[in-house]
């Protein structure tokens, strides 16, 4: 950490007079321009640090993001602070922020953990932004699809830096780069990079697509059923992961596995790869070590379940005391697999509807 602080201080002395942005802020950038600018920020410490004072910042406190629960006067639930506003609450910005992305207008966006703020300071921040620090799992179901991805990425990069303070090869301390997207061992020189674990999540339908299999895990709130999902084993393809997970959990074989869309998920840092698959409607054989229940559901039952979660998205957190069926809310890819099956959306069009 001392070496990193010294590097930051040296660079800041050289960059103190830099105020000219590397892109024309305010002009809408193409996707290609944003990706290339982001890569430059990730790879070049001097460039990344020079842009921090003109960046926007998403704040976490003990892994809880600052979001607006009431969006009456704004389209966004996420709160983005300027550098000038952030330093009122976090003085060590350069040492603690991680790069997230580049906004369409060319503004670099970062995330930062402010730790446990004093009560008075936290109340001041929440009042001034009309927002509150919210449990991440709850927040993911209170924001739109794109915002959920931002929250997930931010938390994972912050936690990765926290958990990779020492080299996995030799055990020596590691030193992060300015963007927070790589760490170099101070002894053996090995570089470490954040990564995601692939998970296959599948909606199994009968050949006529009139019924689907949904499952219930013991940790699910009362009434909630979702899609079958599981981590890929080493050496498996996506199709093999899906076939194995369905066989393990409900005892049926599937065919015609089709990729639909994917989603990053921060628990514990997964890439959820959404698929459809077919199976003849048959009796299910449930693995009691994995599942509490699994059933075939008809279109009529799913229609009611979708309406139920639309009416009350917070069922995902509180459960349904009556035990009546509901599905995950729109912040989860399982919702989109189920909802687009219900609408009979062609597979090749679902990605466009989600993004």
């Amino acid at each position: 950490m001392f070496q990193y602080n010294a590097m930051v201080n040296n660079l800041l002395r050289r960059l103190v007079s830099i105020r000219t942005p590397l892109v024309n802020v305010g002009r809408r950038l193409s996707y290609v321009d944003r990706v290339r600018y982001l890569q430059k920020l990730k790879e070049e410490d001097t460039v990344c640090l020079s842009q921090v004072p003109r960046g926007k910042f998403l704040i976490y406190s003990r892994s809880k993001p600052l979001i607006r629960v009431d969006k009456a006067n704004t389209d966004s639930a996420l709160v983005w602070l300027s550098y000038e506003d952030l330093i009122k609450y976090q003085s060590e910005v350069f040492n603690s922020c991680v790069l997230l992305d580049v906004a369409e207008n060319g503004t670099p966006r970062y995330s930062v953990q402010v730790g446990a703020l004093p009560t008075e300071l936290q109340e001041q921040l929440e009042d001034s932004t009309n927002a509150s620090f919210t449990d991440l799992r709850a927040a993911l179901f209170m924001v739109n699809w794109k915002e959920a991805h931002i929250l997930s990425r931010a938390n994972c990069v912050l936690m990765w830096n926290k958990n990779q303070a020492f080299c996995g090869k030799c055990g020596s301390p590691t030193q992060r780069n300015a963007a927070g997207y790589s760490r170099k061992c101070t002894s053996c020189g090995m570089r470490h990079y954040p990564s995601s674990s692939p998970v296959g999540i599948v909606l199994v339908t009968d050949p006529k697509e009139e019924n689907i299999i949904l499952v219930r895990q013991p940790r699910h709130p009362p009434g909630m059923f979702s899609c079958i999902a599981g981590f890929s084993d080493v050496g498996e393809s996506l199709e093999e992961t899906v076939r194995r997970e369905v066989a393990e959990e409900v005892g049926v074989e599937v065919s015609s596995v089709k990729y639909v869309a994917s989603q990053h998920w921060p628990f514990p840092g997964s890439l959820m790869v959404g698929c459809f698959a077919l199976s003849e409607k048959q009796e299910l054989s449930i693995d009691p070590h994995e599942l509490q229940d699994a059933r075939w559901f008809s279109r009529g039952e799913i229609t009611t379940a979708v309406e139920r979660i639309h009416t009350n998205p917070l069922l995902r957190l509180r459960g349904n005391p009556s035990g009546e069926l509901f599905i995950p809310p729109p912040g989860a890819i399982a919702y989109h697999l189920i909802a687009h099956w219900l609408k009979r959306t062609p597979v090749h069009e679902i990605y466009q509807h989600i993004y």
Side-chain angles (χ1 to χ4, degrees):
M1 180 59 73
F2 174 78
Q3 290 176 326
Y4 181 72
N5 289 341
M7 178 192 74
V8 170
N9 291 333
N10 288 334
L11 286 171
L12 287 179
R13 281 194 289 271
R14 292 158 52 194
L15 299 169
V16 67
S17 63
I18 293 180
R19 288 291 181 267
T20 304
L22 298 179
V23 295
N24 187 2
V25 178
R27 179 177 66 85
R28 189 178 187 278
L29 298 184
S30 69
Y31 175 73
V32 172
D33 287 340
R34 281 185 283 137
V35 167
R36 289 178 174 172
Y37 181 29
L38 181 64
Q39 192 64 20
K40 189 176 186 68
L41 293 171
K42 286 181 179 180
E43 294 178 348
E44 300 185 25
D45 286 346
T46 303
V47 175
C48 185
L49 289 170
S50 74
Q51 299 306 295
V52 168
R54 57 172 289 266
K56 293 292 185 179
F57 298 84
L58 180 66
I59 300 182
Y60 281 72
S61 176
R62 294 173 292 183
S63 291
K64 294 181 178 181
L66 183 67
I67 69 168
R68 297 184 184 93
V69 178
D70 180 6
K71 298 188 291 182
N73 299 315
T74 179
D75 293 332
S76 175
L78 305 187
V79 176
W80 296 98
L81 293 189
S82 67
Y83 176 77
E84 290 75 16
D85 288 333
L86 176 60
I87 57 177
K88 299 174 185 176
Y89 308 98
Q90 175 75 353
S91 58
E92 295 294 327
V93 177
F94 289 89
N95 298 337
S96 57
C97 70
V98 297
L99 181 66
L100 283 183
D101 60 18
V102 174
E104 290 187 356
N105 68 353
T107 300
R109 301 198 297 188
Y110 302 82
S111 183
V112 61
Q113 282 273 16
V114 297
L117 292 173
T119 302
E120 183 178 345
L121 204 59
Q122 178 173 326
E123 291 176 351
Q124 177 186 332
L125 175 56
E126 292 180 331
D127 290 344
S128 66
T129 57
N130 189 31
S132 60
F133 288 105
T134 305
D135 178 81
L136 178 59
R137 193 177 291 273
L140 290 168
F141 298 117
M142 299 165 65
V143 301
N144 64 39
W145 178 261
K146 289 185 178 180
E147 291 175 335
H149 273 255
I150 293 171
L151 290 178
S152 179
R153 183 189 310 121
N155 185 73
C156 284
V157 178
L158 287 166
M159 294 305 296
W160 177 82
N161 276 279
K162 178 182 178 181
N163 295 333
Q164 297 295 320
F166 296 92
C167 179
K169 182 179 180 181
C170 71
S172 300
T174 58
Q175 177 180 315
R176 54 165 284 180
N177 74 342
Y181 269 79
S182 74
R183 300 188 71 95
K184 184 178 180 181
C185 179
T186 56
S187 179
C188 70
M190 183 174 182
R191 286 196 176 273
H192 304 265
Y193 300 92
S195 62
S196 300
S197 300
V199 171
I201 178 167
V202 58
L203 184 66
V204 179
T205 78
D206 65 357
K208 294 184 178 180
E209 298 192 357
E210 292 298 324
N211 301 274
I212 58 174
I213 298 175
L214 295 182
V215 300
R216 174 174 171 74
Q217 297 180 349
R219 60 183 176 81
H220 285 164
M224 191 181 109
F225 280 71
S226 188
C227 300
I228 295 170
F231 286 96
S232 290
D233 280 346
V234 174
E236 275 189 332
S237 67
L238 172 62
E239 293 80 2
E240 289 170 331
T241 298
V242 166
R243 292 190 66 197
R244 175 181 53 77
E245 284 293 335
V246 175
E248 286 178 354
E249 295 196 0
V250 296
V252 301
E253 292 189 30
V254 297
S255 61
S256 188
V257 177
K258 295 180 180 179
Y259 168 76
V260 178
S262 61
Q263 175 189 28
H264 190 271
W265 195 245
F267 308 107
S270 311
L271 179 63
M272 309 290 291
V273 185
C275 304
F276 287 147
L278 298 180
S279 175
E280 293 292 338
K281 190 175 180 183
Q282 57 190 280
E283 184 178 352
L284 305 181
S285 172
I286 300 171
D287 178 0
H289 299 292
E290 294 277 348
L291 303 177
Q292 190 177 79
D293 197 1
R295 304 179 205 168
W296 287 96
F297 291 95
S298 67
R299 284 188 172 272
E301 291 172 305
I302 297 302
T303 298
T304 303
V306 170
E307 292 172 350
R308 198 167 280 135
I309 196 64
H310 282 173
T311 302
N312 185 4
L314 293 183
L315 281 174
R316 173 60 182 85
L317 304 175
R318 303 167 183 166
N320 193 345
S322 69
E324 292 177 315
L325 173 69
F326 69 93
I327 64 170
I333 193 170
Y335 166 88
H336 294 280
L337 293 174
I338 297 167
H340 285 289
W341 166 81
L342 190 61
K343 296 176 183 177
R344 300 184 190 274
T345 307
V347 172
H348 67 277
E349 294 182 7
I350 295 177
Y351 177 89
Q352 300 171 12
H353 286 276
I354 294 177
Y355 290 93

